[in-house]
Amino acid sequence: MLNKIRRFFIKLILYSMLGWLVISLLIVLPFRWLNPPVSMVMVERWLTHDDYTIHQRWLSWEQIPKKVALAVITSEDQRFPLHQGFDVDAIMKALNEAEDGGRLRGASTISQQVAKNMFLWTGRSWIRKGLEVWFTSLIELTWGKQRILEVYLNIAEWGKGVFGIEAASEYHFAKQASQLTDMQAALLASTLPSPLKYDPARPAQHLIDRARWNLAQQRKLGGTNWLAPISE
């Protein structure tokens, strides 16, 4: 009798794990080819704010200015072409700084931010963090770097109701993303990951300094050639 109960629970666990894998793939895999109409962050913002309008216009990878892509990678995740979704060195550095009495800072990669913004909710909890790890692994496995970056540049938040680089360019600089100067692209990238706190069109001095640092780092990385491993 005890063996039957044990086998039943083992089968239940295995079937549950298989079911969760299938459901996860059904949620994630279609967006390898389909452009998501909304993200969970957009839905959450819309549900929790009155009179909230979403501004977004999708750009394909071919339409995204590569200097914008490079500026964002430089600001957010310079090891993006190299890691498998998680920057272990950055995570360990953040933990070591926290142990030494510093504030625990984030070490999220672009892949993790896409997983969180697309499929999860904002806020902090161990459950959400665990799901973030799971969905990050899935998109790295099934989407590839180019698609992950394309989605990120189209769903990243750049102001109240402003999502994606095209809407951000039009909102802040009254021009298309293809018309941004190098400095404007660096300013937009430098507002991440706290875009609601900064105004790239009327930047404070510290934001200008960050944008100049961004431009200098881009040159050190070798310019847009740094994106070569991402392109399919």
Side-chain angles (χ1 to χ4, degrees):
M1 182 66 179
L2 187 60
N3 287 336
K4 287 184 179 180
I5 295 174
R6 186 181 294 112
R7 283 198 298 270
F8 170 78
F9 280 107
I10 290 173
K11 287 182 180 179
L12 181 63
I13 292 170
L14 290 175
Y15 282 130
S16 297
M17 292 172 62
L18 179 60
W20 172 242
L21 175 60
V22 171
I23 292 171
S24 299
L25 286 173
L26 289 175
I27 293 171
V28 170
L29 192 56
F31 297 120
R32 171 66 180 83
W33 302 281
L34 303 177
N35 297 333
V38 294
S39 68
M40 287 304 296
V41 167
M42 295 179 196
V43 172
E44 183 176 325
R45 297 281 193 258
W46 182 76
L47 290 175
T48 55
H49 293 77
D50 295 329
D51 192 26
Y52 192 82
T53 303
I54 294 174
H55 303 278
Q56 183 200 37
R57 193 147 68 87
W58 193 278
L59 294 182
S60 68
W61 176 252
E62 290 73 25
Q63 294 171 314
I64 294 171
K66 298 308 174 279
K67 64 182 177 184
V68 173
L70 179 61
V72 169
I73 286 180
T74 301
S75 178
E76 290 290 275
D77 184 6
Q78 292 188 22
R79 292 178 56 81
F80 177 70
L82 309 175
H83 62 63
Q84 301 301 313
F86 308 95
D87 189 342
V88 178
D89 291 340
I91 293 170
M92 295 306 299
K93 183 178 179 181
L95 291 174
N96 289 334
E97 289 178 359
E99 288 179 359
D100 292 336
R103 183 177 63 87
L104 182 60
R105 61 180 177 83
S108 292
T109 63
I110 286 175
S111 303
Q112 288 174 269
Q113 292 181 56
V114 170
K116 178 184 68 177
N117 293 348
M118 267 294 299
F119 304 113
L120 304 172
W121 61 94
T122 59
R124 296 177 180 273
S125 70
W126 287 111
I127 293 175
R128 201 222 68 191
K129 200 65 180 176
L131 290 171
E132 180 184 310
V133 170
W134 173 251
F135 281 107
T136 298
S137 301
L138 283 183
I139 65 174
E140 278 279 343
L141 180 65
T142 61
W143 288 9
K145 293 291 187 181
Q146 178 179 302
R147 180 59 173 172
I148 291 171
L149 185 57
E150 178 186 342
V151 172
Y152 182 71
L153 290 169
N154 280 286
I155 68 171
E157 189 175 28
W158 260 294
K160 183 180 178 181
V162 180
F163 293 90
I165 189 59
E166 184 73 355
S169 301
E170 293 172 353
Y171 179 80
H172 291 292
F173 295 111
K175 60 174 67 175
Q176 296 178 340
S178 60
Q179 299 171 324
L180 289 171
T181 66
D182 291 350
M183 185 60 175
Q184 288 170 339
L187 283 167
L188 282 169
S190 297
T191 66
L192 300 170
S194 303
L196 301 178
K197 295 182 180 179
Y198 303 107
D199 185 350
R202 289 177 289 277
Q205 186 59 48
H206 70 277
L207 187 61
I208 294 173
D209 292 341
R210 288 174 62 178
R212 288 173 176 165
W213 173 88
N214 185 289
L215 291 170
Q217 286 295 111
Q218 289 184 43
R219 290 190 289 272
K220 288 182 180 180
L221 291 174
T224 54
N225 290 334
W226 181 246
L227 300 173
I230 297 172
S231 301
E232 297 177 342

